[in-house]
Each structure stands twice: as C-alpha cells, then as structure tokens.
Amino acid sequence: MAVGHDGPVVVSERDTKSVSVEDTFDVDLHDRVRVRTEVDRLAGRCVERLRAAGRSGRTVVLKVRRYDFSTLTRSET
C-alpha cells in the first residue's frame, strides 16, 4: 500500500441506487405557489431521468434548505 499497490480491485461502475434532482435559487422562495411550482418542475425532471433509464422509484425524499441553511427533509414510501 505504501507504494500505491493494493489488493482489492476498484469497481468504477455499479447499479444506481438513487436518482436526484436539485436546484439552487438566487433568492429565497417565500410564495407557496412558487415553491409548489418549483417542486413540480424538479419532480418532472426526476421522472424524466427515471424513465430514460427504464427505472421506477419507491421512496420520494424532499429536501429543503432554509434561509439559515438548516435542512428540512421528508420522505414517503
């Protein structure tokens, strides 16, 4: 290991276990209608990625970063 040789083989390709889509906005979103619109848009992008890969999902996770950088996460299976 000291000279850069190690026993285990590195596998660079593996099955994808999750698909995610996220975005960062220039200004904080406060309007509930705008937040809903953006969630719908991001969900649509995620569905497109899943369909293109011939995959489906089981659990949906929504992560929201707030103005103070705290994170709110909710999931539904």
Side-chain angles (χ1 to χ4, degrees), residues 5-73:
H5 298 284
D6 193 9
V9 177
V10 175
V11 178
S12 62
E13 293 184 20
R14 61 182 177 177
D15 286 342
T16 302
K17 295 195 180 205
S18 67
V19 174
S20 66
V21 177
E22 59 183 63
D23 208 344
T24 302
F25 301 96
D26 293 334
V27 295
D28 292 342
L29 303 181
H30 299 282
D31 178 42
R32 286 179 182 261
V33 173
R34 173 78 192 278
V35 170
R36 175 62 190 246
T37 300
E38 294 300 334
V39 169
D40 287 345
R41 182 180 64 82
L42 292 170
R45 284 177 43 199
C46 192
V47 168
E48 287 175 10
R49 289 185 61 196
L50 285 167
R51 287 183 178 154
R55 301 287 199 154
S56 63
R58 182 162 184 244
T59 301
V60 175
V61 179
L62 178 66
K63 177 178 76 173
V64 176
R65 177 88 18 98
R66 301 180 65 186
Y67 67 94
D68 60 355
F69 291 97
S70 62
T71 303
L72 177 67
T73 306

